[in-house]
Amino acid sequence: MTLLLARRMLGLAVTLAAASVIVFIVMEVLPGDPAVVILGVGAEPESLAALRGELGLDRPPVERYLAWIAGLARGDFGHSHTYAVPVLELISERMAVTFPLALIAMALTAAIAIPMGVLAARLRGGAGDVAISLIAQLGVAVPNFWFAMLLVIVFAVSLGWLPAGGFPGWDAGIGPALGAFVLPALALALPQAAILTRVTRSSMLDTVAEDYVRTARAKGLTRNAALWRHALENALIPVVTIMGLQFSFLISGTIVIENVFHLPGLGRLLFQAIAQRDLIVVKELVLLLAISVVVVNFLVDLAYLALDPRLRRGHHVMA
Amino acid sequence: MSWLEAAPPRARRRVRWGALAIGGLIAAAFILVAAVALVWTPHSWQALAIDQRLMPPSWEHPFGTDHFGRDVLSMIMKATHNSIVVAFVAVAIGLGAGVPVGALAAARRGWVDEALMRASDFVFAFPALLSAVMITALYGPGAVNSIIAIGIFSVPVFARVTRGAALGVWQSEFVMAARLAGRGAVAITVAHILPNIASVLIVQATIQFALAILAEAGLSYLGLGTTPPDPSWGRMLNEAQTMIYLAPHLVVIPGLAIALSVLGLNLLGDGLRDLIDPRLRGLD
């Protein structure tokens, strides 16, 4: 167990290091001269030289990379050109929007998908099962930003129940702040829930075929009791894994959805930073998002070990 | 037999065949539209007619006109062509790079396998949108850059699928026989492994095609994909967003095109998978 954990930790460290190297190479080495990218081709030679000095571009790449990583370790994420504030400040401010949004979207996904998946498995082969499959197929096919626009047309433009976009800030109170998250979270959750419903359904069908579920039935438990108490708990293991993998789609999703609803989160910041060619912000954000995906997948791996005792003995897990 | 399997999968099987047929029809229809758009559209997809802007659907303009008075049907047709080209090339990149990597991992096993699979895990950490964002931040938006970003993201998917399927074939007796006959790994891969996993790859390619269409739409919606004047479903939605009150049909039609094409491809992929793998027929 300890050995397994150590191996996983080592793997995590290697992946994180590799991610930072890739981001560094793509953002700083490949473009040739980042100063030209930031200031544009027509920039004055003096300002280019000044920026090169500020970014330390006169030093060799390896030295710059190490300085960058050392800075990150100290919490120094560099300075944004366009916002004229430390990048760390910018990121933590925007995190207060993206993090709760992603959390609500994930909770919504599970709240929709798990009951639907169990229901589909319970009604297997029947009309209800087919109907749920069709809805899930549609859910996968509908782009989240289009679904978001349809939600705006119905709930904001026609009914006027919810805001069409924007974020009042947490100072405006918990009600209005959460209200601004309802439609974006729904738009984010729909495609994820569609996938997760299918996963839950097939995982349930695999589990109910197991002996212990039959034993539970033989002991006199009703179908529903066997289903909800014995099968579901075990069927959730792959469901949790898929939810972890979906995190990376959730990250991409927030980039798009925050732009649809003009929410001042990390996704919108990334988008604005690109438009303003604020390479420092883009670099730190891309790395941060990639790291969050890697770390979440690592945690899911650990959760997998905790949930399934059979895996702890060091068997290699085919994920 | 468990108690849940009591329900006969017959009705489901019928649904499956129906799904395959419907998916195939939808996919064929979109390819046909794309082909037609190459030579003919009802109006010019770029002709501006400001006096006819934001017209509702009519006989002259079945899908109405946009804020520049362009014919939406013609733009949708041209955008279908663009979408299919982007998705096709992206999937080709995924297949071209992913299949050799997966085949190599399966043939060599050991540390080569481990290294290649770790590398593919790692590419997963950069979702298509994130890598596209990096690329466009440096090289500017454009169809080519979005193709590269979407293509790179599908490489590990194909590598994993190829490896998984190839490992199974390597265990089979006819491969053993070929090895005993002294044939090398490359020759065996070309002659025996690839033909036997082709069907799995076709299914995965169909699914990746659908994902690529979605990704292209998302990138173009953000303004990171196809650039004007070429129409794209995603960019049409972006432009429609500001006119949500004035002309809701501009929001509905491009979205339907995306959803319908992706739905068709997914139904086709699922149907093909069931057809190829009898074990899955009853399961999912």
Side-chain angles (χ1 to χ4, degrees):
Chain A
M1 181 66 192
T2 325
L3 185 73
L4 191 68
L5 203 61
R7 264 186 60 180
R8 292 281 161 91
M9 296 288 270
L10 187 69
L12 175 71
V14 170
T15 313
L16 289 180
S20 67
V21 171
I22 296 272
V23 171
F24 182 81
I25 290 176
V26 172
M27 302 295 299
E28 288 220 359
V29 182
L30 287 186
D33 192 344
V36 176
V37 175
I38 294 172
L39 294 178
V41 187
E44 299 288 324
E46 297 86 54
S47 21
L48 281 175
L51 184 60
R52 279 193 203 105
E54 191 193 321
L55 295 176
L57 294 178
D58 37 1
R59 289 178 292 161
V62 177
E63 206 183 307
R64 261 156 54 204
Y65 171 77
L66 293 176
W68 177 48
I69 296 297
L72 289 183
R74 283 195 313 268
D76 175 13
F77 283 56
H79 233 76
S80 159
H81 286 275
T82 43
Y83 295 92
V85 287
V87 176
L88 187 62
E89 201 174 289
L90 211 55
I91 287 178
S92 39
E93 197 184 293
R94 303 298 185 103
M95 193 90 99
V97 173
T98 300
F99 189 66
L101 174 63
L103 221 57
I104 296 171
M106 269 220 152
L108 255 175
T109 304
I112 297 169
I114 294 173
M116 291 281 270
V118 174
L119 191 67
R122 177 76 176 73
L123 301 172
R124 180 180 191 213
D129 181 20
V130 172
I132 292 175
S133 295
L134 283 179
I135 296 171
Q137 279 282 11
L138 265 178
V140 177
V142 169
N144 55 11
F145 57 93
W146 184 52
F147 185 57
M149 289 161 87
L150 297 181
L151 287 175
V152 167
I153 291 182
V154 175
F155 293 102
V157 177
S158 300
L159 297 172
W161 289 354
L162 291 159
F167 182 63
W170 290 104
D171 302 333
I174 202 102
L178 286 180
F181 284 147
V182 175
L183 294 184
L186 261 178
L188 277 172
L190 170 88
Q192 317 264 26
I195 296 168
L196 207 62
T197 300
R198 294 162 85 174
V199 174
T200 310
R201 177 184 178 276
S202 45
S203 173
M204 276 304 279
L205 288 180
D206 285 349
T207 319
V208 291
E210 300 274 348
D211 286 341
Y212 59 83
V213 178
R214 206 181 330 170
T215 310
R217 279 285 281 158
K219 269 178 14 192
L221 260 72
T222 63
R223 269 186 177 205
N224 283 326
L227 200 65
W228 289 100
R229 263 186 246 156
H230 291 263
L232 183 62
E233 193 181 317
N234 287 287
L236 281 183
I237 295 173
V239 173
V240 170
T241 315
I242 300 294
M243 281 187 79
L245 291 176
Q246 283 188 330
F247 183 79
S248 93
F249 292 100
L250 200 62
I251 291 290
S252 320
T254 55
I255 300 177
V256 181
I257 292 297
E258 285 179 3
N259 279 295
V260 178
F261 289 97
H262 295 269
L263 291 175
L266 292 178
R268 186 138 180 89
L269 176 65
L270 181 61
F271 185 71
Q272 288 165 333
I274 291 174
Q276 290 150 349
R277 309 201 139 248
D278 197 336
L279 276 199
I280 314 274
V281 173
V282 175
K283 185 175 74 174
E284 310 297 352
L285 265 179
V286 168
L287 181 68
L288 183 79
L289 295 178
I291 285 178
S292 67
V293 172
V294 172
V295 170
V296 166
N297 285 346
F298 173 75
L299 293 177
V300 167
D301 240 20
L302 291 190
Y304 209 76
L305 288 177
L307 278 171
D308 192 343
R310 281 169 302 178
L311 302 173
R312 277 181 222 153
R313 276 182 229 119
H315 296 297
H316 195 69
V317 188
M318 295 282 290
Chain B
M1 280 289 279
S2 115
W3 47 269
L4 255 174
E5 275 172 61
R10 201 147 170 213
R12 216 178 152 78
R13 202 177 303 156
R14 210 176 300 142
V15 171
R16 277 300 178 202
W17 273 104
L20 181 65
I22 294 170
L25 274 178
I26 296 176
F30 272 93
I31 290 171
L32 187 70
V33 168
V36 170
L38 263 181
V39 290
W40 178 82
T41 48
H43 296 265
S44 160
W45 50 269
Q46 48 187 351
L48 309 184
I50 298 298
D51 55 321
Q52 292 191 38
R53 66 178 181 271
L54 299 177
M55 302 263 278
S58 63
W59 279 112
E60 179 67 13
H61 300 286
F63 290 167
T65 59
D66 76 349
H67 57 299
F68 289 133
R70 289 176 294 188
D71 178 50
V72 173
L73 175 61
S74 305
M75 289 174 73
I76 289 276
M77 286 176 71
K78 179 72 179 149
T80 306
H81 174 250
N82 286 347
S83 253
I84 288 181
V85 169
V86 169
F88 186 84
V89 181
V91 170
I93 293 175
L95 273 170
V99 172
V101 167
L104 180 68
R108 282 278 173 267
R109 310 294 301 272
W111 68 267
V112 176
D113 185 13
E114 185 74 17
L116 289 175
M117 287 306 114
R118 286 304 133 235
S120 86
D121 275 354
F122 164 71
V123 178
F124 269 127
F126 293 90
L129 211 65
L130 210 52
S131 52
V133 157
M134 278 205 290
I135 291 173
T136 45
L138 295 167
Y139 304 104
V144 175
N145 290 344
S146 57
I147 287 174
I148 294 172
I150 299 168
I152 290 175
F153 186 64
S154 66
V155 170
V157 177
F158 282 109
R160 291 199 151 257
V161 169
T162 304
R163 174 183 175 273
L167 280 179
V169 184
W170 273 101
Q171 305 300 322
S172 60
E173 285 177 6
F174 59 89
V175 171
M176 293 289 186
R179 288 172 78 176
L180 287 174
R183 303 197 66 178
V186 174
I188 291 178
T189 298
V190 172
H192 299 294
I193 309 289
L194 290 181
N196 276 292
I197 64 170
S199 52
V200 183
L201 292 178
I202 291 169
V203 171
Q204 193 61 44
T206 316
I207 292 164
Q208 290 304 121
F209 204 98
L211 285 175
I213 286 182
L214 274 179
E216 194 278 332
L219 287 173
S220 295
Y221 171 79
L222 288 176
L224 304 177
T226 311
T227 42
D230 283 337
S232 141
W233 294 333
R235 229 163 42 75
M236 289 173 79
L237 281 174
N238 179 330
E239 289 167 3
Q241 197 177 357
T242 49
M243 286 166 284
I244 236 172
Y245 294 89
L246 288 169
H249 68 276
L250 290 179
V251 174
V252 175
I253 289 162
L256 273 182
I258 302 170
L260 202 61
S261 58
V262 173
L263 180 70
L265 284 164
N266 281 339
L267 288 176
L268 183 66
D270 283 1
L272 283 175
R273 188 188 58 198
D274 291 353
L275 205 64
I276 288 161
D277 190 347
R279 282 170 309 162
L280 289 174
R281 266 181 218 168
L283 266 176
D284 185 69

